[in-house]
Amino acid sequence: LSDLDAGIVEASRHARGDEGSLVIASVASVAYSSLPRVLAPFQTRYPGVFISVRDGIASSIASLVEERIAEFGIATHMAFGPGLEVRGLGHYHYRLIYASGNPLIGKKRAVTWADLKPLNVVGLNRLSSTRLQIDDELASRNLAVPWCMEVDQLSTLLGLVRDWGFSAVVPSLMNTTTLGLRSMPIGGIDIDREFYLVKRPDVTLSPHAAFLAQLLEDQLGATHALRHPT
């Protein structure tokens, strides 16, 4: 039924003179920070392609690709199934983000993981791969997790940080300066995370999907090089 529905939508778009549609899946951090940077060159080459972005946690990204709903996905590390082809794109660290004037942070220039507990840190749902990794890493070192509350959506997390005095831990590839937020590195423990391009091995990407995937790979590679210079 999903394939039939997609076919009807595709046919109606062609009937209107459009050039088709593209469904991709991405973890929210990449959809928020990296995808917007490549949309202009993509739309220049494929101005009539309608893009549907299914953003979520890594496990949902893998499922969307496995089920042929999305042509490809950008996901963080997890136990990928045998039905997926996975290519590494780089890795990132984590940073603390906060609003200017946050009284709990004041003029601090850096913090350690052990310093976070009093800072009203909001985290993503405990089922997210980011949250699972951080919780496991801290537990292995007998450090308390910093979260004072959790939310499901990245947009909710950013709103709490921007408007209500919370802070949050986010991937270093995220640029939150457009929201007027500040950030600082988190020291003490080096926690990093890999991210991947995921597709089915039995699927050849459409030309517009392959072009967008390459744009994202180049953008993520440039971001990785910028934040982690050799």
Side-chain angles (χ1 to χ4, degrees):
L1 287 175
S2 176
D3 289 344
L4 177 61
D5 183 59
I8 293 172
V9 172
E10 186 77 3
S12 66
R13 290 188 59 77
H14 279 290
R16 295 196 303 268
D18 295 336
E19 297 178 8
S21 61
L22 169 61
V23 181
I24 67 169
S26 174
V27 288
S29 55
V30 172
Y32 175 84
S33 289
S34 298
L35 179 61
R37 298 176 183 275
V38 303
L39 290 179
F42 178 83
Q43 291 171 338
T44 297
R45 178 173 293 193
Y46 296 103
V49 171
F50 179 82
I51 304 175
S52 175
V53 181
R54 305 291 297 273
D55 54 322
I57 61 177
S59 58
S60 68
I61 305 309
S63 296
L64 289 166
V65 175
E66 283 186 305
E67 295 167 9
R68 300 176 184 269
I69 296 172
E71 283 203 54
F72 71 87
I74 305 292
T76 50
H77 180 75
M78 58 168 286
F80 295 106
L84 292 174
E85 178 183 298
V86 181
R87 184 168 77 251
L89 298 178
H91 64 92
Y92 56 79
H93 296 271
Y94 294 102
R95 296 180 68 84
L96 182 74
I97 61 169
Y98 57 98
S100 176
N102 185 313
L104 296 179
I105 296 175
K107 296 182 179 180
K108 293 179 185 292
R109 295 185 180 275
V111 291
T112 68
W113 290 97
D115 296 330
L116 298 184
K117 187 64 175 176
L119 301 184
N120 277 358
V121 182
V122 57
L124 289 174
N125 185 290
R126 67 192 65 193
L127 296 180
S128 74
S129 57
T130 293
R131 172 75 179 276
L132 287 170
Q133 183 198 20
I134 293 174
D135 286 3
D136 288 346
E137 291 279 359
L138 295 181
S140 70
R141 292 166 170 81
N142 294 317
L143 291 174
V145 296
W147 326 113
C148 69
M149 65 181 295
E150 65 181 31
V151 297
D152 284 342
Q153 301 298 326
L154 180 62
S155 57
T156 305
L157 180 145
L158 293 173
L160 288 169
V161 173
R162 184 187 62 195
D163 300 325
W164 299 102
F166 290 87
S167 56
V169 175
V170 300
S172 57
L173 60 85
M174 282 188 61
N175 179 7
T176 56
T177 57
T178 56
L179 295 176
L181 300 179
R182 297 184 176 183
S183 70
M184 68 172 69
I186 306 172
I189 301 173
D190 187 19
I191 302 178
D192 66 9
R193 189 158 191 79
E194 296 175 296
F195 51 97
Y196 305 88
L197 188 142
V198 183
K199 64 178 288 291
R200 288 180 61 100
D202 57 343
V203 169
T204 300
L205 295 182
S206 62
H208 43 283
F211 183 62
L212 183 57
Q214 187 61 57
L215 288 174
L216 280 169
E217 183 172 354
D218 293 345
Q219 173 62 39
L220 289 167
T223 302
H224 169 70
L226 177 64
R227 299 193 181 275
H228 305 284
T230 56

